[in-house]
Amino acid sequence: MTVIPYTHWAYFPDQDSAQHCATDLADFVTRLREQEDGTWLLLAGRDVDTAELPERHGMVEAIVQRYGGAYDGGEVTYLHGKPVADPLITDEESDR
């Protein structure tokens, strides 16, 4: 079993729909950020077994779509050569 920190990305037309989606992703660390165009970015991160990634993508995408969002996939972000689940906490540039 290989566990990695993984962050899903989703965009929403408004803050309310992004917040409701984040509530449904209770087992994730979630962050909301307003974009320059007025849409809202939801980042949802957690440690996941790499064998479960396809299933997790499908689950997160379904929840995002339920709230009118657009799922944009996910990634592992590296900081100083180490994977981090929540790059927004660090306030540093990542090695993406």
Side-chain angles (χ1 to χ4, degrees):
M1 174 169 77
T2 302
V3 176
I4 58 171
Y6 197 80
T7 303
H8 299 271
W9 293 62
Y11 295 89
F12 292 86
D14 56 70
Q15 184 179 11
D16 285 344
S17 56
Q19 185 61 55
H20 284 98
C21 183
T23 300
D24 259 11
L25 296 169
D27 61 337
F28 289 81
V29 173
T30 56
R31 304 283 179 209
L32 298 176
R33 185 168 57 193
E34 187 172 15
Q35 303 298 286
E36 289 182 15
D37 65 359
T39 61
W40 284 80
L41 169 64
L42 167 65
L43 299 175
R46 67 167 287 164
D47 289 343
V48 64
D49 183 340
T50 55
E52 297 175 1
L53 275 177
E55 180 181 330
R56 282 286 178 178
H57 273 269
M59 179 200 75
V60 173
E61 183 173 19
I63 293 170
V64 166
Q65 290 176 347
R66 183 180 319 143
Y67 292 100
Y71 182 65
D72 196 24
E75 66 184 1
V76 177
T77 301
Y78 289 86
L79 181 66
H80 306 296
K82 296 181 181 180
V84 293
D86 187 355
L88 293 182
I89 289 176
T90 65
D91 287 333
E92 297 184 37
E93 290 296 316
S94 69
D95 303 332
R96 286 196 262 198

